[in-house]
Amino acid sequence: MPSPTSSSLRNTFARTEIRRLQDLLPPELQAWVKVLNADGVRPPLIACEEAGGDEVVILVDMVRWERMAEDQRNLLYWHEVARIQNDAVPKDGWEVAALAIGLGGAVGELWVQNGLLFVLALGICGVAGFQLWRKGTSKKDIRNLIEADQGAIRLAVRNGYPLPAAYKSLGSGLKIMLSDTSKGRSRTLIEKRLDALRNEANKARRNYDN
């Protein structure tokens, strides 16, 4: 069980880091993009999502975030900023509502023992779940992530990072995320981002040498 002192230190870091990250936002985003400490049993390290109206929030798991070097944190954060700039924030569509309805229906029909409606509710769950899975693995989604990585590099250079250092910081941050991610879709996406980042870094190095 964490001591009161360690909890207080974590809370202090979270407050200070949120202010720092908020200051790293481009001026045009500061009025409607907010940084919040993520909660939940196992939240993503960092993610962005719509919060209603025109507001977008960037959610950060401060416990894991604190363990990373500041330059790695900055580049991973600017990746999310670039997603917002590119209008590529994930949007929940009909699939989430259908999944909830299907699960509710399946439980209800199981209770009243109506086999046909139970199978129908499971079918709705299956279709909605497949669509949610497909949305996260399409070529467009992967391209959006890779474009956001390049946007993060540009933001880093704009904020004084040498280009090689920006690539190195983002790459090392992604490797830490990869080591903390089990097999599955999330791991595959990070691997694809790393491959694309290496290719872009090699191109940038060749252009610099010439």
Side-chain angles (χ1 to χ4, degrees), residues 33-47:
V33 176
K34 303 300 179 187
V35 182
L36 299 177
N37 190 358
D39 54 14
V41 177
R42 184 64 168 174
L45 174 65
I46 183 168

Side-chain angles (χ1 to χ4, degrees), residues 13-106:
F13 169 79
R15 288 193 298 270
T16 302
E17 183 69 357
I18 284 172
R19 286 195 296 269
R20 189 185 74 84
L21 294 176
Q22 199 76 40
D23 290 340
L24 289 179
L25 283 170
E28 66 274 13
L29 300 185
Q30 291 187 359
W32 55 279
V33 176
K34 303 300 179 187
V35 182
L36 299 177
N37 190 358
D39 54 14
V41 177
R42 184 64 168 174
L45 174 65
I46 183 168
C48 60
E49 62 183 43
E50 294 182 335
D54 294 328
E55 190 171 89
V56 174
V57 296
I58 299 176
L59 300 167
V60 183
D61 178 3
M62 289 295 174
V63 175
R64 285 182 288 161
W65 191 251
E66 187 177 7
R67 300 171 190 157
M68 305 181 79
E70 186 174 294
D71 62 306
Q72 295 167 338
R73 284 181 276 164
N74 288 350
L75 268 294
L76 293 175
Y77 174 71
W78 279 323
H79 167 86
E80 301 301 326
V81 173
R83 293 178 77 183
I84 297 169
Q85 290 178 321
N86 296 343
D87 194 25
V89 179
K91 296 178 175 63
D92 290 334
W94 63 268
E95 298 91 346
V96 174
L99 188 60
I101 292 171
L103 285 172

Side-chain angles (χ1 to χ4, degrees), residues 77-137:
Y77 174 71
W78 279 323
H79 167 86
E80 301 301 326
V81 173
R83 293 178 77 183
I84 297 169
Q85 290 178 321
N86 296 343
D87 194 25
V89 179
K91 296 178 175 63
D92 290 334
W94 63 268
E95 298 91 346
V96 174
L99 188 60
I101 292 171
L103 285 172
V107 172
E109 299 309 329
L110 183 61
W111 181 259
V112 300
Q113 296 183 342
N114 188 320
L116 179 61
L117 292 179
F118 176 69
V119 171
L120 180 61
L122 284 182
I124 293 173
C125 289
V127 171
F130 174 75
Q131 289 299 324
L132 283 172
W133 174 85
R134 189 176 63 83
K135 283 175 69 174
T137 55

